[in-house]
Every structure is written in C-alpha cells, then in structure tokens.
C-alpha cells in the first residue's frame, strides 16, 4: 500500500489527524520536498525526528526538466514500495490538486495493480481563496505556472476564458515573468490588478499584495516570490477578453441564428459561398504579391470567415462542424509528417514531398490501376492545372531530356497554330493555342519558373506601364485614344526605362 498524504497549506492546525497518524506511525515516509512549513511545526517536527523520513529534494538538482524530475521522483517512490511494501508519500496541500507526481504515480500504480490510498488535507486553493476573500461561483482555473510558455503558438485555454485563475508554483522571478507574459498574450492589460499571495493559510507568515500585472516580476515584490507563492488573477471583463478562435465561432453562429441573425448570412449555402472562397483566396494572393502584411492579415481573416461559414452550415445540417475541420487537419498534419511526429527521416523538401504524396496515396486507397492524375483539383487556374498535370506524368518518366527539346516543341506547336489560323479553323486554332500554352508551362517547369506566377507578374508590369501611358497622356491634356500608336509606343518605352531606373 502507498499512502498519498497531504500536508495541507503549511499550518499545523490544518493538518488532519489521519495524516499526522500516518506520518508518525513508523512507516517509511517519502517527502516530495522538505521545504514545507508544517514539517518544522510542533508537534509534527519532533515526532518525525524519530521516523524513517527521506526527502526527495535532491531529485530537483539532477533533472534536466521538471518533467524528468517528476518521473525520477515517481520511480523512486515505486522502488521504495518494492523494497518496503508499505510507505507514506507526502506532498504539500492536497495530493489530488496541483500535484503532477501524484497524477503520474496513480497512473502507474493502477496499471501495476499497486494499492493506494489518498489521505487528503486542505489544498492551497482553499487557503488562497480564504486569503483573498473571494467567492468563486463560475469556472476557476488552477494553472501550474511552470507549464506556461510565453512563446507558445497560443496561450493556454485556461488563460483565455476570462474566468478567475490561481497560478501556483510561481516560485521564482523567472516563473513570475513567464506568468506575466503569458497573461499579457492572453489579453490581460498591463494595469490589470492581480494578487500575489505568499504562505497562504500560515498564521503569522501569510502575506499578500495586489499589484498591476506589469509589476509581477519586479524586484520590489521579490520578497513575496518563493515556493509558497500563488497568484490570484480575478475574472477579466468580457469586453477586455482576447478576441480568439472561440469568440469567432460564437460570432459566426450568431450571424446564422434564425432568431435575429443576419439575413444575408442566413441565405448562404455551400454552393452560394463557392465564389467567395475563390475571391478571398485571390485577395490573399494579391496581398502576398504586394508584400503588405496589414492587408494580408485582413485578407486571411476574410478567407477564414469563408471556412467557418461552411463549418457552421455543415453543423446545422449535422454533417460536420468547425471542430471537425480542425480535428481532421490536426490528424492529417501529424499523419503526413512522420519525420516530425514519428521516427521517419526526410532530409530535404523533395523527400518530404515524396513522402507526403506516398502517404496521401495510401490514405486514398489508390491502386496501381488508378490514374496518376487522380485527385488533381480541376478548379485550379488553367496554368496551375497544367503544371500539376505535367508534374504527375514527369514523376513516372514522361519527360523531355532537356529544356532545348521543350523549346523545339514550342516552335513546332507555334507552327501548327499558324497553319490553323491561316486556314481559318477557329476550333482547331484554340486547340493548338492550348498546346502552345501547355508546352510553355513545361518550359517554366524545366527552368524552375511557375507559369501562373510568371504570367501574373507580366500582367502586373503591363498594368503599371499602361497606367503610366494614361497619366502621361492626361498630363499632356489628351486621352490615350487620341494618341497615335507611335506616341503610345514611345510612352510605353519611356515607362519601361522608368521602371529600370527606379
């Protein structure tokens, strides 16, 4: 039997008789840490002096991380149990609140069939709430400050709900700094008032200070920061909360609410929104082309709106929802990146792409008899569609040996186009023009140029030069159509020279 005993928040008066009895009853006692006030209080201190007590604080000196340290402590408890059969493992507060070692130990003992018994005591949560005099009627989030990572892609969900928070293990200035940064990223203003509680529940030692968040790691409050420190973060007003993904989902649902929603949004279907998905995607591409971060942020939001509208419509029909979209994407990204999330190896981008396509083919259940062109999105822009089609067939060896032979094919296709044009064959001319364009796409592929982007760049250059001609004509008091072709050509060359000199 392993007795998991709570030492309470630190006051001798708060230690239950059952816990005192087990700690002093002669069984081997393992302390996660001896840095706890109740262990120095009487009569427990004198009673423990005659008992077989081992403190595990030394494990904190050897572990490369807190996770490693917790695993080492758990392993040591299990070794002691194997040697003695019965023991007491004592931790601060209540064993089931904020104790990672207990959580890991319970998981292992259940798997190994080792009996355990929890002997509780008041937790730091009770003591802290009593210290700050707060009544909690909603969701209280108890968060280990050591697990906060200010550089994480998104602050933890517990920090984003706006509900009251107790941050425990704020044992150092570095931990206080990380907590401050994480709360700031979650939307808490610099001036937001938090309460630092030191030695909660210990009469004569308990201290607290209510300070602005930005001062949490300031040296002026360093005397309050140690292993007995917890930070109380009150509820954040809804108007101040971070406008995050959950908030966005709520807005989308509100827009589609039959009772008071938006008439336009309520009319939309998957089909009616198709055009907007394409439009928004092109506007994202335009912002990228302009290298405009502010516009890109806004346009990505507009594109995300389309995704979430489709998710909400599917939710209403019972097909799927935005959560399913996220879950499916997470599973796919993990599955298709075994070199990141598994044991596979991929040394460069080409290897990653080959691996991705192989996994994708397996997922789709593709058999050798199926076409290698299966799965190409037919709604791609024509030049992109041509490039993807070409890449597929090249992958199985259908390829020109070098770019010179592709140029020869371009000349051949152009000649065939001229023949059909001379014959007045409009339909055949269209086919031959398609052959020319497809072959030019392959020229681009051979030299590492995306034909779609190349043509888009040329259209952009053409538009700039044409606007130059329009502005020049206007400056001369003329309209473009009043200029001769020679004058237009002269201005065109002038525009080109202007670009080169820019």
């Amino acid at each position: 039997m392993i007795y998991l005993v709570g030492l309470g928040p630190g006051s001798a008066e708060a230690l239950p008789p059952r816990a005192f009895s087990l700690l002093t009853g002669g069984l081997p006692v393992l302390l996660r840490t001896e840095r706890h006030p109740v262990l120095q209080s009487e009569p427990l201190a004198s009673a423990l002096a005659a008992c077989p007590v081992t403190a595990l604080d030394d494990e904190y000196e050897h572990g490369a991380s807190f996770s490693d340290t917790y695993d080492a402590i758990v392993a040591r408890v299990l070794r002691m149990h194997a040697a003695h059969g019965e023991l007491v493992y004592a931790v601060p507060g209540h064993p089931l609140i904020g104790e990672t070692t207990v959580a890991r130990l319970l998981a292992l003992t259940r798997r190994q069939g080792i009996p355990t018994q929890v002997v509780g005591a008041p937790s730091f949560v009770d003591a802290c709430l009593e210290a700050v005099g707060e009544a909690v009627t909603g969701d209280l989030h108890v968060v280990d400050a050591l697990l906060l990572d200010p550089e994480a892609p998104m602050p933890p969900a517990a920090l984003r709900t706006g509900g009251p928070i107790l941050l425990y293990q704020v044992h150092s200035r570095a931990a206080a700094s990380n907590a401050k940064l994480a709360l700031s990223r979650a939307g808490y203003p610099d001036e937001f008032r938090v309460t630092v509680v030191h030695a909660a529940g210990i009469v004569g030692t308990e201290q607290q200070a209510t300070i602005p968040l930005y001062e949490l790691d300031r040296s002026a409050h360093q005397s309050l920061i140690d292993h007995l420190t917890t930070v109380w973060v009150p509820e954040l007003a809804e108007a101040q909360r971070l406008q995050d993904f959950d908030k966005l989902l709520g807005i989308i649902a509100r827009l589609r609410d039959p009772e008071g929603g938006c008439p336009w949004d309520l009319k939309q279907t998957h089909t009616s929104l198709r055009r907007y998905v394409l439009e928004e995607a092109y506007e994202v591409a335009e912002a990228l082309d302009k290298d405009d971060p502010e516009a890109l942020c806004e346009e990505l939001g507009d594109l995300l709106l389309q995704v979430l509208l489709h998710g909400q419509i599917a939710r209403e029909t019972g097909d799927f929802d935005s959560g399913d979209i996220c879950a499916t994407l997470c599973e796919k990204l993990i599955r298709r990146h075994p070199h990141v999330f598994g044991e596979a190896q991929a040394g460069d981008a080409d290897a990653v792409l080959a691996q991705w396509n192989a996994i994708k083919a397996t997922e789709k259940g593709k058999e050798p008899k199926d076409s290698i062109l299966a799965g190409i999105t037919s709604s791609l822009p024509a030049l992109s569609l041509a490039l993807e089609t070409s890449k597929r067939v090249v992958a199985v060896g259908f390829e020109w040996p070098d770019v010179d032979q592709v140029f020869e094919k371009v000349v051949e296709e152009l000649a065939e186009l001229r023949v059909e044009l001379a014959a007045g064959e409009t339909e055949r001319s269209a086919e031959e023009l398609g052959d020319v364009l497809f072959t030019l796409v392959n020229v681009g592929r051979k030299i590492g140029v995306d034909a779609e982007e190349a043509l888009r760049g040329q259209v952009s250059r053409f538009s700039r030069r044409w606007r130059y001609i329009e502005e020049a004509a206007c400056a001369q008091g003329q309209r473009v159509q009043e200029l001769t072709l020679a004058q237009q050509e002269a201005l065109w060359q002038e525009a080109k020279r202007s670009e080169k000199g820019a």
Side-chain angles (χ1 to χ4, degrees):
M1 174 71 73
I2 298 178
Y3 294 97
L4 305 170
V5 175
L7 298 174
S11 170
E13 291 79 8
L15 185 68
R18 172 68 169 149
F20 184 94
S21 175
L22 280 168
L23 289 166
T24 60
L27 289 176
V29 175
L30 294 179
L31 303 173
R32 178 173 68 76
T33 176
E34 61 182 354
R35 297 179 65 199
H36 193 63
V38 76
L39 298 172
Q40 283 76 52
S41 63
E42 295 297 348
L44 182 60
S46 296
L48 284 176
C51 297
V53 177
T54 304
L56 305 182
D57 295 83
D58 60 311
E59 296 294 349
Y60 288 88
E61 304 299 324
H62 307 308
S65 66
F66 280 105
S67 182
D68 290 342
T69 298
Y70 297 151
D71 284 340
I73 289 173
V74 169
R76 198 159 161 187
V77 172
L78 291 175
R79 287 198 302 271
M80 286 287 287
H81 173 264
H84 297 279
E86 236 184 354
L87 59 81
V88 173
Y89 176 53
V91 298
H94 193 290
L96 301 182
I97 298 180
E99 274 297 329
T100 304
T101 58
V102 171
R104 297 186 183 188
L105 187 58
L106 284 173
L108 286 172
T109 54
R110 285 166 185 158
R111 286 202 296 269
Q112 297 176 20
I114 299 172
T116 61
Q117 186 177 116
V118 175
V119 180
S123 73
F124 72 92
V125 175
D126 306 277
C128 286
L129 292 179
E130 290 171 7
V132 298
E134 292 287 349
V136 177
T137 57
D139 294 333
L140 173 65
H141 302 280
V142 181
V143 179
D144 187 345
L146 297 180
L147 300 181
L148 295 177
D149 179 6
E151 301 301 321
M154 179 69 73
L159 269 57
R160 292 184 278 116
T161 65
I165 303 167
L166 269 178
L167 292 174
Y168 65 97
Q169 297 213 84
V170 188
H171 64 59
S172 65
R173 190 172 180 179
S177 179
N178 277 349
K180 179 186 76 173
L181 294 172
L183 287 167
S184 296
R185 285 198 64 214
Y188 289 80
D190 288 345
E191 297 290 342
F192 190 78
R193 309 287 286 182
V194 300
T195 300
V196 181
V197 184
H198 177 260
I202 306 175
V203 178
T205 306
E206 178 180 296
Q207 299 179 69
Q208 58 178 282
T210 299
I211 60 175
L213 176 61
Y214 74 87
E215 291 188 6
L216 185 57
D217 58 348
R218 297 289 175 88
S219 58
H221 310 292
Q222 192 60 37
S223 62
L224 296 176
I225 304 294
D226 66 13
H227 62 289
L228 298 177
T229 301
T230 303
V231 176
W232 165 254
V233 183
E235 184 169 356
L236 182 65
E238 186 169 357
Q240 292 181 290
R241 295 176 192 173
L242 188 67
Q243 305 297 296
D244 61 5
F245 190 71
D246 291 337
K247 176 75 171 179
L248 181 56
L249 290 178
I251 291 173
I252 300 298
R254 180 76 179 86
L255 292 174
R256 292 276 306 177
D257 188 346
E259 300 294 331
C262 171
W264 186 89
D265 289 284
L266 283 166
K267 283 180 60 178
Q268 302 313 307
T269 64
H270 288 310
T271 302
S272 70
L273 289 173
R274 181 183 183 278
R275 57 172 289 197
Y276 299 109
V277 173
L278 296 174
E279 286 179 10
E280 299 300 351
Y282 279 118
E283 289 179 10
V284 167
E286 184 177 359
L288 287 168
D289 292 341
K290 292 180 177 178
D291 194 21
D292 186 340
E294 185 176 343
L296 178 60
C297 179
E298 181 178 351
E299 297 303 342
L300 286 170
D302 291 343
L303 183 57
L304 179 59
L305 168 62
Q306 299 305 312
V307 174
L308 298 184
L309 277 172
H310 281 286
Q312 178 62 27
I313 291 170
R315 177 174 177 265
E316 294 162 6
T317 58
D319 294 327
F320 58 86
D321 60 22
S322 296
D324 295 320
I325 295 173
C326 291
T328 300
L329 180 57
C330 286
E331 292 168 3
K332 179 188 290 185
L333 289 175
I334 293 171
R335 188 171 61 249
R336 294 189 184 177
H337 289 83
H339 55 290
V340 176
F341 302 103
E343 302 300 323
Q345 300 293 320
D348 55 33
D350 289 339
V352 171
L353 184 59
Q355 179 178 258
W356 176 284
N357 288 330
I359 296 171
K360 184 176 179 180
T362 302
E363 292 169 353
K364 301 295 184 183
K366 186 194 295 187
E367 299 294 334
K369 63 181 180 181
D370 291 339
S371 172
I372 60 169
L373 303 181
I376 298 178
T377 304
S378 60
S379 58
L380 284 171
L383 293 177
S384 296
L385 179 62
L387 179 59
E388 181 60 28
T389 302
S390 179
K391 285 181 177 179
R392 294 286 186 94
V393 298
V394 164
V396 293
F398 193 68
E399 170 69 305
W400 287 278
D402 54 58
V403 71
D404 288 337
Q405 293 193 22
V406 192
F407 274 118
E408 291 175 8
K409 187 65 175 176
V410 171
V411 173
E412 176 187 324
E413 298 295 353
L414 280 171
E416 292 177 3
L417 173 59
R418 295 173 71 92
V419 169
E420 299 302 337
L421 286 172
E425 292 286 346
T426 304
E427 186 174 338
R428 292 297 303 277
S429 295
E431 292 178 6
E432 295 300 340
L433 179 60
D435 290 345
V436 171
L437 293 173
F438 188 83
T439 309
L440 287 172
V441 167
N442 280 283
V443 171
R445 178 180 56 75
K446 273 288 197 180
I447 63 175
V449 174
D450 187 309
E452 183 77 30
E453 296 304 317
L455 181 56
R456 189 174 298 277
Q458 169 55 26
V459 172
S460 178
R461 290 192 297 276
F462 182 94
S463 299
R464 285 198 307 272
R465 294 167 187 171
W466 183 255
R467 288 192 178 95
Y468 183 95
I469 294 173
E470 290 176 325
E471 291 169 3
C474 181
Q476 297 171 14
Q478 295 178 287
R479 294 181 297 171
V480 173
Q481 54 266 43
E482 294 172 347
L483 300 177
T484 65
L485 180 58
Q487 290 172 317
Q488 291 178 354
E489 176 61 26
L491 288 173
W492 179 268
Q493 295 302 325
E494 188 177 305
K496 289 177 65 175
R497 289 193 297 272
S498 176
E499 285 183 352
K500 291 179 180 178

